[in-house]
Amino acid sequence: MAQVAALELRSVDLQSSRNNQEHHTQEMGLQRLIVRRSQSFTIQLHFSRPFHSGTDHITFIAETGPEPTELLGTRATFLLTSARQGNVWSASDFTIDANSLSVSLFTPASAVIGPYTLKIKISQGQGNSLTHLLGTFILLFNPWSAEDDVYLPSELLLQEYIMMDYGFVYKGHERFITPWPWNYGQFEEGIIDICFEILNKSLSFLENPSKACSQRNDVVYVCRVVSAMINSNDDSGVLQGNWGEDYSRGLSPLEWSGSVAILRQWSAGGGQPVRYGQCWVFAAVMCTVMRCLGVPTRVVSNFRSAHNADANLTIDTYYDQNAVMLPTQKRDKIWNFHVWNECWMIRKDLPPGYNGWQVLDPTPQETSSGLFRCGPASVKAIREGEVHLPYDTPFVYAEVNADEVIWLFGGGQALEILAHNISSIGKEISTKMVGSDQRQNITSSYKYPEGSLEERSVFMKASRKMLGSRRASSPFLDLLGSGGSKDQPAQLQLHLAQTPEWGQDLLLELHARRVADRAHPQGPIRLVVRFCAQTLLHSGGTRGPLWRQKVHLTLDFGEEIQRSLSLPYNNYKNKLTDEKLIRVSGIAKVAETGRSMLVLKDISLEPPHLAIEVSERAEVGKALRVHISLTNTLSVALSHCTMVLEGSGLIDGQISNDLGTLVAGHTVQIQLDLYPLKAGRRQLQVLISSKELKEIKGYKDIFVVAAGAS
């Protein structure tokens, strides 16, 4: 019997284009193989002769990470079989066509994610074998597979939380919420490689590379590593935080429009942290990384967000008798807004019922197991006050539920409680609505309605768990029992008399009404109201006073009076931060009782409006004329104006222009041509910055048709 010639491998076709489309990775390109676990992909092998399944024996070998081993799950060897062998690495369902062999490869839902090498070992008989490199592929989480821990059973949600490469971050103030367009760009060239570079620069990888790689099958582990690596407090993380006002050694956080430039700069710099980020930048970059890795992710903004460092569920704020908000030595604060992420996953490490959205926060606020990171904390656990469940649930619970106690301070001590607010923290929790540019309020997923029996019951349950042995001597719980501030003989409110515009005097009205109280049920009262205006910082703190005023009032029973107040532009110009927020506070001393009352008004000054128009139909590769106009509605010139355009699928990287000075009352018109790179829904983001205003931002949604589409 003639001896059959040895089977020799001649060429390989990884069929990247077809496989990537079937695995929803085509947006990352079609030139290399990028697949998702728990889903088959097909490759074609070309041999020197036809493959004989009875006598030819081939073994596939897939490896990832340094020193891969089967014990760690970073190496898999599997034989060619006629049918798939369950949820394990397998090569099956093969077809033979002349000298070609088409094989379906399957990766289990528990496989480690990362870049793999794929090899084939051909047995030659008498124990001899030859091993060939077939190529490389990248393996990602698979939210389309019911077997994967990140499974999300809705194509509409998957299109939003995996495939959408732009969105909005919500900023500002609970009463002046601003959508901030952001280019996530998770499918841009090289971003997938940078994501694994981030994992490879983590402390856990540097300490034990083989073990760190082996844990990348676990979405909880990967999320915690990324949360730590987006900030640079402990490691060669992506971003350096800066909450001051000196950004001369980098870029102001307000001048970023997307994640791609940040990630590319970090990678090109060999892991040097990019300067600078604040919470919305940290969260937006983490969203890019997690969506790229295959984990459904969204960006969430919490307005009036507590940073409760001592975990006592109360934040103390202090004012003096002149209505000046005082700085505090405590690390506790109430951010105007704080931004974090939610990632969708099954939590096998928790009791049943806590799957779904999990909070992850890459902004460095507190350490978790020794590193600056936060989460994943189950949103359902937060809502139910189950603060004992990992990870960092007490901290996130306090961010949305802490009580605020406002004190009058004088002579080195707290004199009286001006207000005890049980519902002023955790307001308007927001994310982008699915399939829409609108904002969605998701506060109800974090807590029961404020003041409801369920909400107070959950709050007391959480406080018992968090305060523990401190509970018996907790001034906070004493305060809960005392009912906080007592009746007052008047009601005070501050209103804006007209829309506040930066560069104009601000006009306010004080409304005062005499009401009955136990101490003074009737008769007139005399009030001295001292007003103060201060720059309100993103951190919730303030700068020194920029305006003061004193008003004397006499209020008879049932009487309501109004007083006009004017805050001149000259008082606040050059004194505000980039956020352009002012807090006006008033302390009213009641002559008859000697007690004090507080009235507050936060004012947000709107920047000029940016208009973007697109004249023609957008088509891949064809010139698209864009018209951008900005009218300086302020009373002062805007100097050193620069414009940055960004938009995945529309622009490769960024387009920057210097616009010079824009005189007050004048309009600048810009026309330019873009050449769209990809079909589908896209978003053009335009940011104009000046010395006076950092965040004049606009966007335009553009639908791009494929080249040659009729």
Side-chain angles (χ1 to χ4, degrees):
M1 182 177 170
Q3 186 174 356
V4 178
L7 188 71
E8 296 175 8
L9 181 70
R10 292 287 164 85
S11 64
V12 184
D13 180 4
L14 296 180
Q15 301 192 335
S16 301
S17 178
R18 171 188 159 189
N19 287 322
N20 288 9
Q21 289 184 28
E22 290 180 355
H23 285 247
H24 306 95
T25 62
Q26 70 277 9
E27 287 278 319
M28 296 182 191
L30 302 174
Q31 302 309 307
R32 57 178 178 164
L33 184 59
I34 304 172
V35 292
R36 300 185 186 276
R37 62 187 194 177
S38 188
Q39 185 176 338
S40 298
F41 61 96
T42 303
I43 65 171
Q44 200 162 40
L45 307 177
H46 302 282
F47 293 110
S48 55
R49 61 166 174 77
F51 175 79
H52 301 302
S53 59
T55 55
D56 292 325
H57 300 287
I58 59 176
T59 303
F60 289 88
I61 304 157
E63 296 177 328
T64 186
E67 301 175 8
T69 68
E70 294 189 18
L71 183 65
L72 287 172
T74 49
R75 183 176 196 267
T77 58
F78 43 103
L79 297 169
L80 182 64
T81 56
S82 57
R84 183 151 71 82
Q85 309 291 311
N87 192 21
V88 293
W89 288 87
S90 61
S92 60
D93 303 318
F94 60 88
T95 57
I96 301 167
D97 180 13
N99 291 5
S100 296
L101 177 69
S102 184
V103 184
S104 175
L105 302 183
F106 178 81
T107 62
S110 58
V112 167
I113 65 161
Y116 278 80
T117 58
L118 182 63
K119 301 173 187 173
I120 188 174
K121 186 167 73 173
I122 304 174
S123 299
Q124 302 287 338
Q126 286 85 45
N128 296 324
S129 63
L130 276 176
T131 300
H132 302 271
L133 176 66
L134 298 182
T136 61
F137 67 94
I138 292 175
L139 188 63
L140 302 175
F141 291 110
N142 191 355
W144 280 268
S145 168
E147 304 302 315
D148 202 301
D149 286 349
V150 299
Y151 176 54
L152 181 57
S154 162
E155 187 60 33
L156 191 66
L157 297 185
L158 287 164
Q159 288 302 313
E160 182 73 44
Y161 298 132
I162 291 287
M163 302 303 293
M164 184 67 75
D165 60 5
Y166 63 85
F168 299 95
V169 179
Y170 294 98
K171 298 173 68 245
H173 185 282
E174 60 172 306
R175 289 193 294 276
F176 328 105
I177 296 174
T178 304
W180 182 261
W182 193 270
N183 181 41
Y184 295 122
Q186 67 267 32
F187 304 125
E188 292 294 281
E189 188 176 350
I191 295 301
I192 182 70
D193 303 295
I194 295 172
C195 290
F196 287 107
E197 196 181 331
I198 288 170
L199 295 180
N200 288 348
K201 280 199 162 58
S202 68
L203 291 182
S204 61
F205 182 88
L206 296 176
E207 288 166 7
N208 190 334
S210 298
K211 183 184 176 188
C213 278
S214 75
Q215 292 176 287
R216 292 180 189 171
N217 65 331
D218 177 6
V219 64
V220 171
Y221 168 82
V222 172
C223 283
R224 279 180 69 71
V225 169
V226 174
S227 173
M229 279 298 297
I230 297 299
N231 70 72
S232 59
N233 284 42
D234 312 292
D235 42 44
S236 300
V238 175
L239 280 157
Q240 182 176 326
N242 186 340
W243 288 268
E245 291 163 58
D246 179 8
Y247 306 118
S248 58
R249 297 178 65 193
L251 214 57
S252 161
L254 289 166
E255 294 184 74
W256 298 112
S257 296
S259 306
V260 176
I262 293 169
L263 289 167
R264 285 178 175 167
Q265 184 179 325
W266 175 80
S267 177
Q272 282 295 310
V274 176
R275 296 168 173 161
Y276 291 103
Q278 289 182 9
C279 63
W280 68 92
V281 187
F282 290 115
V285 172
M286 182 160 183
C287 182
T288 297
V289 173
M290 298 316 298
R291 285 186 185 180
C292 188
L293 294 176
V295 181
T297 304
R298 61 188 186 182
V299 174
V300 172
S301 298
N302 177 37
F303 290 88
R304 300 211 83 237
S305 185
H307 178 172
N308 188 204
D310 54 10
N312 67 352
L313 281 175
T314 181
I315 308 290
D316 297 310
T317 310
Y318 300 91
Y319 288 82
D320 70 12
Q321 290 164 321
N322 294 312
V324 178
M325 184 179 175
L326 301 172
T328 173
Q329 299 305 310
K330 289 186 175 182
R331 290 171 55 233
D332 284 12
K333 61 179 66 124
I334 304 171
W335 299 92
N336 295 331
F337 68 94
H338 182 55
V339 185
W340 57 65
N341 301 97
E342 286 179 3
C343 293
W344 181 274
M345 68 190 75
I346 291 169
R347 289 294 300 272
K348 292 176 178 174
D349 58 324
L350 299 184
Y354 297 102
N355 298 332
W357 290 118
Q358 314 286 320
V359 171
L360 282 132
D361 189 351
T363 299
Q365 293 192 87
E366 297 291 329
T367 58
S368 172
S369 301
L371 298 179
F372 278 96
R373 58 186 169 184
C374 181
S378 162
V379 173
K380 288 180 182 175
I382 294 160
R383 189 172 195 256
E384 299 302 330
E386 302 296 350
V387 293
H388 61 289
L389 297 176
Y391 290 86
D392 311 304
T393 310
F395 183 78
V396 184
Y397 181 87
E399 286 184 298
V400 298
N401 283 298
D403 281 11
E404 178 187 22
V405 182
I406 303 176
W407 300 84
L408 181 65
F409 195 84
Q413 61 181 353
L415 302 174
E416 62 177 295
I417 293 172
L418 295 169
H420 169 213
N421 299 323
I422 65 170
S423 59
S424 66
I425 285 171
K427 309 293 284 184
E428 296 291 331
I429 304 175
S430 302
T431 193
K432 177 186 176 297
M433 193 175 286
V434 174
S436 162
D437 286 353
Q438 299 301 306
R439 179 177 67 90
Q440 181 182 358
N441 186 325
I442 57 170
T443 309
S444 61
S445 66
Y446 279 83
K447 53 186 175 180
Y448 290 96
E450 293 284 9
S452 66
L453 288 174
E454 295 96 334
E455 186 266 340
R456 282 289 98 182
S457 171
V458 167
F459 186 88
M460 294 307 292
K461 174 172 72 173
S463 68
R464 280 192 292 271
K465 290 179 179 178
M466 289 173 67
L467 294 171
S469 60
R470 295 178 290 162
R471 184 170 178 265
S473 60
S474 166
F476 165 62
L477 286 174
D478 294 343
L479 176 64
L480 274 184
S482 72
S485 53
K486 299 178 176 63
D487 289 350
Q488 294 286 9
Q491 291 176 348
L492 302 178
Q493 290 182 317
L494 274 172
H495 298 280
L496 284 163
Q498 62 187 45
T499 303
E501 292 184 22
W502 194 80
Q504 307 292 331
D505 294 349
L506 306 179
L507 303 178
L508 299 109
E509 285 184 350
L510 172 67
H511 292 235
R513 188 161 70 94
R514 173 77 167 94
V515 293
D517 71 306
R518 285 194 291 270
H520 284 268
Q522 54 192 6
I525 57 169
R526 291 165 296 152
L527 303 176
V528 178
V529 192
R530 290 177 171 84
F531 290 101
C532 170
Q534 295 170 272
T535 298
L536 185 58
L537 307 176
H538 172 218
S539 63
T542 54
R543 287 184 182 167
L546 52 84
W547 169 85
R548 298 176 189 265
Q549 196 154 327
K550 185 160 72 169
V551 173
H552 294 267
L553 300 175
T554 301
L555 278 175
D556 211 341
F557 187 73
E559 185 181 11
E560 182 171 343
I561 61 175
Q562 297 178 13
R563 289 289 175 88
S564 295
L565 304 169
S566 176
L567 200 171
Y569 168 61
N570 281 338
N571 282 67
Y572 70 81
K573 82 171 179 183
N574 303 327
K575 293 185 180 174
L576 303 186
T577 63
D578 293 332
E579 276 85 13
K580 300 289 185 277
L581 282 169
I582 297 173
R583 170 161 293 174
V584 178
S585 46
I587 300 273
K589 188 77 173 280
V590 183
E592 283 71 20
T593 64
R595 297 187 69 238
S596 300
M597 302 165 58
L598 174 71
V599 61
L600 297 174
K601 183 70 177 177
D602 292 342
I603 301 170
S604 174
L605 302 174
E606 285 297 306
H609 179 66
L610 191 63
I612 307 167
E613 294 299 329
V614 178
S615 51
E616 306 96 358
R617 189 180 79 144
E619 183 178 329
V620 170
K622 282 199 172 179
L624 177 68
R625 178 61 55 92
V626 178
H627 303 263
I628 300 164
S629 64
L630 172 68
T631 300
N632 182 2
T633 55
L634 310 183
S635 60
V636 295
L638 297 177
S639 60
H640 304 289
C641 294
T642 60
M643 179 180 72
V644 178
L645 280 73
E646 191 165 334
S648 288
L650 297 171
I651 299 166
D652 183 12
Q654 295 177 324
I655 297 173
S656 300
N657 281 333
D658 286 329
L659 304 179
T661 297
L662 182 54
V663 176
H666 284 224
T667 300
V668 62
Q669 302 265 6
I670 302 124
Q671 290 190 20
L672 69 158
D673 288 338
L674 302 180
Y675 294 84
L677 306 165
K678 292 180 181 179
R681 286 189 299 166
R682 305 293 164 192
Q683 188 182 81
L684 175 66
Q685 288 113 13
V686 180
L687 172 66
I688 294 181
S689 294
S690 68
K691 183 181 174 186
E692 292 75 18
L693 282 173
K694 284 282 184 282
E695 52 176 320
I696 305 172
K697 198 158 190 184
Y699 70 94
K700 185 74 174 177
D701 290 338
I702 298 170
F703 187 82
V704 182
V705 299
S710 57

